[in-house]
Amino acid sequence: MALDMQLGEKIPLGLTFTDSNGQQVQLADLIDRPTLIVPVFYNCRTVCNVLLGGLSSTLPKMRLTPGKDYQVITLSFDPTETVAMAAHSQRTFLTATRTDFPPEAWHFLTGEQENILKLTDSAGYYFYQEGNDFVHPTAAFIVAADGTIVRYLIGQSIPPITLTMAILEAAEGRISTPISKALEFCFTYDAENRRYVFNLLRVSGTVILLTLGSFFLFLFFSGRKKKS
């Protein structure tokens, strides 16, 4: 498996898939705002379920409006999976949000192998089948309304602030930068008050460590100069 990030590149919006209602849908008709695309296979019993379950927990914590500010597309990369499986997954993970998360803001798709590969290849998301299982990256990616890939989200857990910032970047058509990563490091999400707060302990601890490290390096090189 591999993930070859294609930041700034566009996914092919002309591809057609089948939604959880059995309707044929084109990506161009779905993607009209910042969109999180999550490749999985519905029969997965490990990381895919963990990723989608974590997403069900993250989405209600965001101070953005689903269906207006953003949407989510979950796509099975297993061409043998059915509409019924997509519908079951949609019911499961919408219920897991424990909110009235709008179904029209979280699409669950299946498709033919040719179209699946065109989409995943365009995003640099590579996988292969091993028996009844798939070996694949644990990752999702955000695209802007025109299909431009603006950020990758790697791992089984997507923090609310990370997803929020990625969506805001996509809304402005900005590609992810190191500044975004720095902001994520400095702020954490307060679930009780539903807001983002400056993480003074984390930042001050880092500053202290960097200061001490610089001081010891200064002493080390100063001592070497005196000896020479």
Side-chain angles (χ1 to χ4, degrees), residues 133-146:
D133 206 346
F134 283 85
V135 179
H136 61 91
T138 305
F141 55 95
I142 293 271
V143 299
D146 65 352

Side-chain angles (χ1 to χ4, degrees), residues 18-20 42 82-91 108-110:
T18 305
D19 67 15
S20 56
Y42 299 129
T82 65
V83 170
M85 296 172 73
H88 174 74
S89 289
Q90 184 180 46
R91 289 192 300 271
F108 285 70
L109 307 181
T110 57

Side-chain angles (χ1 to χ4, degrees), residues 130-185:
E130 194 172 76
N132 295 322
D133 206 346
F134 283 85
V135 179
H136 61 91
T138 305
F141 55 95
I142 293 271
V143 299
D146 65 352
T148 301
I149 302 171
V150 300
R151 190 192 287 214
Y152 287 80
L153 304 170
I154 301 172
Q156 299 179 17
S157 176
I158 304 176
I161 189 171
T162 300
L163 185 52
T164 297
M165 294 185 70
I167 289 169
L168 294 177
E169 288 171 351
E172 297 178 3
R174 290 188 291 114
I175 310 302
S176 179
T177 65
I179 293 177
S180 303
K181 299 295 185 183
L183 288 174
E184 290 170 19
F185 179 80

Side-chain angles (χ1 to χ4, degrees), residues 37-154:
I37 299 179
V38 190
V40 298
F41 69 107
Y42 299 129
N43 203 35
C44 178
R45 294 291 178 264
T46 52
V47 293
C48 296
N49 279 347
V50 174
L51 175 58
L52 292 177
L55 194 56
S56 295
S57 175
T58 291
L59 294 175
K61 297 175 182 176
M62 295 169 57
R63 302 183 71 178
L64 297 174
T65 305
K68 178 183 176 182
D69 299 319
Y70 72 95
Q71 63 180 334
V72 183
I73 292 177
T74 297
L75 169 70
S76 171
F77 48 70
D78 181 353
T80 68
E81 294 198 316
T82 65
V83 170
M85 296 172 73
H88 174 74
S89 289
Q90 184 180 46
R91 289 192 300 271
T92 298
F93 293 108
L94 285 176
T95 300
T97 66
R98 298 183 179 181
T99 64
D100 293 327
F101 196 91
E104 63 272 15
W106 192 349
H107 308 277
F108 285 70
L109 307 181
T110 57
E112 298 177 356
Q113 185 171 23
E114 180 181 1
N115 287 344
I116 291 170
L117 292 177
K118 284 181 179 178
L119 176 57
T120 55
D121 287 355
S122 71
Y125 183 100
Y126 301 109
F127 59 92
Y128 62 89
Q129 189 165 3
E130 194 172 76
N132 295 322
D133 206 346
F134 283 85
V135 179
H136 61 91
T138 305
F141 55 95
I142 293 271
V143 299
D146 65 352
T148 301
I149 302 171
V150 300
R151 190 192 287 214
Y152 287 80
L153 304 170
I154 301 172

Side-chain angles (χ1 to χ4, degrees), residues 10-17 25-29 31 115 118-119 146-147:
K10 292 184 178 182
I11 62 172
L13 295 179
L15 299 177
T16 299
F17 296 94
V25 292
Q26 193 176 70
L27 289 182
D29 295 328
I31 300 176
N115 287 344
K118 284 181 179 178
L119 176 57
D146 65 352

